[in-house]
Structures are given as C-alpha cells and as structure tokens.
Amino acid sequence: MAVTVASGKRGTFKGTSAVDTFIINDDTKGATITNVGGGDIIAIEGFATDFTAKVSGRVVTLTSTVDTGVVIKFQLAATSGTASIRFLDGDLTATHTAKVGKVAAFTTLGTQKLTAKAVAVSDETLG
C-alpha cells in the first residue's frame, strides 16, 4: 500500500501486514503512523539533517528544525521492527530491538541509538 500525506495536512495511518510506503510531502504538517515494520518505507521530502529524532518506547518522533510544526511519529513493531526512512540526502534504517534477558530494549536510526532526548539526525549515518 502506498499513501501520500496531502498538502498542508497531518495524517494518521496504520501499517498493514504487507510492505507499506508512506510519502510525507515537504508541505505537509506531519504524520502519525502505527504498526510500522517488516520493511515498510517512510519517504520524507526533506533533508535528514533538518530533523531531530527521539524515542519513547517504540515510537520514534522526527521534528523538523526548519518548521517545528512538522512532526512525524511512527511506531515500530513490538518485537523487532525495522523501517527504511528515506530522506532527500540519504536513507536510514530505524530499528527497534526488543529486550533480551538483561539487555534493555533500544531503538536506532542508522547508527544513532535514540533516547527520550531529541538529537540532530547525523548525516554521518546516511546510506
């Protein structure tokens, strides 16, 4: 399934069991996407370096530093969810790794390990 968030709008979507593609145009106000994983694609018409990233549980929040009203949230699958985040300047893989034994669950964007504190998306991790 391919979904494009309309101009000037904010969209809420739920991933399916198939590989989904969500296109976030540069003039949208953002999106909230649940059930992301299994190779889903989130294509963002913006540069990775123009966003900050943070995580709460399995929910990754990307906020534009150019227009802070643009917020993209996506919830990775419960066990080990992955999604390809495609920016204009490169691609990053978002991965949630479930807790194993005493090792706590964690989420990465590219090689950056995300926390509850927003940090600039690093261009060093772009593929």
Side-chain angles (χ1 to χ4, degrees), residues 31-85:
T32 300
I33 309 166
T34 60
N35 199 35
V36 174
D40 289 343
I41 298 165
I42 300 173
I44 300 170
E45 290 184 350
F47 295 102
T49 52
D50 288 340
F51 284 86
T52 62
K54 65 180 181 177
V55 67
S56 176
R58 297 178 288 123
V59 178
V60 176
T61 301
L62 301 173
T63 303
S64 171
T65 58
V66 177
D67 178 356
T68 56
V70 176
V71 178
I72 301 162
K73 293 183 179 188
F74 56 94
Q75 180 187 40
L76 292 164
T79 51
S80 293
T82 63
S84 176
I85 313 303

Side-chain angles (χ1 to χ4, degrees), residues 3-6 8-14 22 24 28-34 71-73:
V3 174
T4 301
V5 180
K9 305 285 183 190
R10 182 178 308 273
T12 301
F13 308 97
K14 182 176 182 179
F22 301 94
I24 314 298
T28 64
K29 291 299 177 189
T32 300
I33 309 166
T34 60
V71 178
I72 301 162
K73 293 183 179 188

